[in-house]
Amino acid sequence: MSARNPGTKFDPEWISKVRVNTQAVLKRAQQIQGQKNLKKQWQAAWLLKAVTCIDLTTLAGDDTPSNVHRLCMKAIQPIRYDLLRKMDMHDKGVTTAAVCVYPSRVADAAASLKAANSSLPVASVATGFPAGQTPLETRLQEVRMAVADGATEIDIVINRTLALTGQWEALYDEIRQFREACGDAHMKTILAIGELATFTNVYKASMVAMMAGSDFIKTSTGKEAVNATYPVAIVMVRAIRNYFLCTGHKVGFKPAGGIRTAQESLVWLTLIKEELGNDWLCPHLFRLGASSLLADIERQIYHHVTGQYAAYHELPMA
């Protein structure tokens, strides 16, 4: 993980004058999507890079200890061993970046990983995920409990009401309290961009989250009508770049929600490389929040190795 973001004092100057040029953002997003595909021999390497940045996630009402255990095993060995061996990558420690579960399943995930002698991080969504509409003390307590159960990364959700009504300092104060409740755990702050209405709000919320000490900013819960989109990502990563220029501190970026295909993962990596540079192309500063993406990446790698496409039942499930 990146060195912890210490945050800065709330500075209204950083957000009061913000205006986002919508046309320029949309044009840039189109450019990135329209770029030519990587050459075949490079594609597999980039797909393995994408795997190492995945927060392998299950956030379902029917989560049980057994399917969390299966998720953890898949995170430890995300690509079939025989396929990695043919690529001479079997001994390179290819795992996903973390597993991500609800607070009530953190202890299950931590126990599964410990039993497998794995040091993979457990991430947990907390603070009244996905709506963030529970009382503040309840949200803080949820963070503390997830950390106590073994989560080393906490994905918090912001209070959208504060953002939509322009109460930026109040939002800053809330996120500071979550930062404190996280203790040594890294904090990823979910902006729920689909509910923020404008690019300007997205930029301001990004800045406030970083000022308040977020180690990552994340697009979405995956439960909104609109989740990770490339234009919103451009706005968020430019906020990250400006924050870095102002403070010297690198904050990570995590798109989440609706990212399902190997091809999309390559577009996300391209976006990060071009907008933030190679330093951000690692699990310390870039994550992909996904539940079904890994299956498609593994199918593409199977094709790269064998020249054929696997049926889904031929690859181990997450």
Side-chain angles (χ1 to χ4, degrees), residues 138-160:
T138 308
R139 285 178 279 150
L140 288 165
Q141 193 55 26
E142 197 177 24
V143 173
R144 294 183 198 111
M145 286 166 72
V147 171
D149 278 351
T152 54
E153 302 179 10
I154 301 292
D155 290 29
I156 67 159
V157 288
I158 67 165
N159 182 336
R160 273 81 98 193

Side-chain angles (χ1 to χ4, degrees), residues 35-248:
Q35 287 182 4
K36 288 195 169 57
N37 286 343
L38 293 156
K39 285 195 170 64
K40 278 280 180 280
Q41 70 266 36
W42 297 113
Q43 240 182 41
W46 277 80
L47 288 174
L48 286 181
K49 163 70 81 177
V51 168
T52 65
C53 294
I54 291 174
D55 280 355
L56 195 59
T57 303
T58 182
L59 297 171
D62 58 359
D63 284 343
T64 60
S66 60
N67 76 317
V68 167
H69 175 73
R70 190 170 68 188
L71 188 85
C72 292
M73 295 306 101
K74 185 67 176 171
I76 293 168
Q77 180 74 59
I79 305 293
R80 253 173 45 178
Y81 183 81
D82 59 317
L83 300 178
L84 290 176
R85 194 173 185 88
K86 288 205 170 111
M87 297 165 74
D88 201 25
M89 291 295 289
H90 57 289
D91 55 356
K92 301 292 191 290
V94 175
T95 67
T96 67
V99 292
C100 183
V101 294
Y102 274 121
S104 57
R105 300 267 74 90
V106 166
D108 298 334
S112 288
L113 291 167
K114 189 178 178 187
N117 210 12
S118 168
S119 57
L120 263 190
V122 177
S124 183
V125 294
T127 66
F129 179 95
Q133 292 283 10
T134 48
L136 179 59
E137 192 43 54
T138 308
R139 285 178 279 150
L140 288 165
Q141 193 55 26
E142 197 177 24
V143 173
R144 294 183 198 111
M145 286 166 72
V147 171
D149 278 351
T152 54
E153 302 179 10
I154 301 292
D155 290 29
I156 67 159
V157 288
I158 67 165
N159 182 336
R160 273 81 98 193
T161 306
L162 296 176
L164 290 167
T165 53
Q167 299 178 68
W168 298 110
E169 192 162 3
L171 179 62
Y172 170 89
D173 291 339
E174 267 199 12
I175 299 173
R176 277 311 273 187
Q177 290 182 65
F178 296 144
R179 164 77 278 165
E180 210 170 293
C182 284
D184 290 334
H186 276 76
M187 185 171 80
K188 307 193 202 90
T189 299
I190 307 170
L191 305 183
I193 52 87
E195 295 173 353
L196 291 184
T198 67
F199 285 153
T200 300
N201 277 348
V202 169
Y203 187 94
K204 289 179 177 182
S206 300
M207 269 302 182
V208 169
M210 291 186 286
M211 279 191 269
S214 305
D215 298 300
F216 267 72
I217 52 175
K218 175 177 167 182
T219 59
S220 323
T221 65
K223 311 289 186 186
E224 295 92 48
V226 177
N227 294 293
T229 68
Y230 303 119
V232 154
I234 300 285
V235 174
M236 290 174 69
V237 298
R238 294 212 171 159
I240 288 172
R241 194 163 72 192
N242 288 346
Y243 184 81
F244 172 63
L245 293 172
C246 290
T247 66

